[in-house]
Amino acid sequence: MQETITGSGQLKINGEPINISFTVPKGLCLPEALLPDAQRFANQLTDVAVARVERSGHRVSCAKGCGACCRQMVPISPPEARHLAALVEAMPAAQAMEVRARFKSAREVVVASGLPPHGPADGDQAAYRAFGISYFGLGVPCPFLVEESCSIHPDRPLVCREYLVTSPPAACGALGSGQVKQIPVPSRVWAVFSRSTSEDGGLAWMPLIEALDYVAETPAPKPVRTGPQYVEALLKELKK
């Protein structure tokens, strides 16, 4: 078993003190090793955002069984894609087969619509928004959505942890209309994680439905950084 190292400290993000801790491999590792800490950090920042909106008299309207947002385009980084593929691989055979079929069906619908499967390039916010709205219009459910609830909730993508709204649930069915009131989070951990773990520091991402194909077609990278180096890169990206 690989030796790990633990560190902790406090950050101030938008004036909010956040206690953070990381436990990562001491030696060379893949960026997925940082993901559990990134998930916990995203949860912490979301909790801060929720507390802030509640102090202002608003209430988060998201609840189990409301899966409208699970038909949105979910951007994930390559390390998250490998993590999700590993989750599917570890499922009982029958469940894994069903989930893989949902991935295949979702991808076929998107490709048939004429949308580019990998989405627009990093930095084109207008194209990204247009892509997301067009994707939502297809009504494609997340492959992990079961009875309008997330079947992998503890392992859900970082961006899903950061998406909460105070608007009525019905508004989520009209994405792009201006009715959705998303709570502002102090930092987008999904983007920070992606940039800090990519080779060139860019925002490497893909729609969630591409995860299994990406992993099947892309050889696993060789470890090039240690766990503490990944933590350092993430903290540096947070300060930008």
Side-chain angles (χ1 to χ4, degrees), residues 23-233:
T23 299
V24 292
K26 189 173 183 179
L28 293 175
C29 61
L30 292 177
E32 295 93 288
L34 184 62
L35 191 52
D37 292 316
Q39 291 171 340
R40 185 173 63 252
F41 186 45
N43 292 344
Q44 288 177 277
L45 292 187
T46 302
D47 288 344
V48 168
V50 169
R52 181 177 291 176
V53 299
E54 287 180 344
R55 287 196 298 269
S56 66
H58 299 285
R59 185 176 66 84
V60 172
S61 55
C62 304
K64 185 177 181 180
C66 177
C69 63
C70 300
R71 288 169 176 80
Q72 291 191 38
M73 190 280 295
V74 176
I76 60 171
S77 61
E80 287 191 276
R82 292 191 290 270
H83 174 67
L84 293 177
L87 286 180
V88 176
E89 188 67 27
M91 291 175 178
Q95 182 184 5
M97 184 181 297
E98 184 177 349
V99 171
R100 290 190 183 103
R102 292 192 207 123
F103 267 92
K104 184 174 184 291
S105 175
R107 194 173 188 276
E108 287 174 347
V109 170
V110 173
V111 171
S113 75
L115 283 176
H118 297 294
D122 178 21
D124 192 340
Q125 291 297 317
Y128 179 88
R129 176 175 171 78
F131 178 82
I133 291 175
S134 296
Y135 184 104
F136 183 75
L138 298 175
V140 178
C142 173
F144 296 110
L145 186 66
V146 177
E147 295 181 356
E148 296 304 301
S149 293
C150 179
S151 63
I152 59 162
H153 196 261
D155 288 288
R156 67 197 184 280
L158 293 170
V159 72
C160 298
R161 297 165 192 267
E162 301 170 342
Y163 190 89
L164 293 170
V165 303
T166 56
S167 45
C172 291
L175 190 68
S177 66
Q179 300 178 48
V180 178
K181 305 299 181 185
Q182 186 178 353
I183 67 169
V185 293
S187 179
R188 293 290 177 189
V189 176
W190 87 266
V192 168
F193 178 80
S194 175
R195 290 194 173 97
S196 67
T197 57
S198 67
E199 292 183 5
D200 61 1
L203 183 64
W205 70 277
M206 71 195 77
L208 181 147
I209 62 168
E210 292 292 314
L212 300 191
D213 285 285
Y214 169 81
V215 172
E217 297 166 1
T218 309
K222 293 182 179 179
V224 294
R225 294 190 218 168
T226 65
Q229 285 174 328
Y230 277 119
V231 173
E232 183 180 1

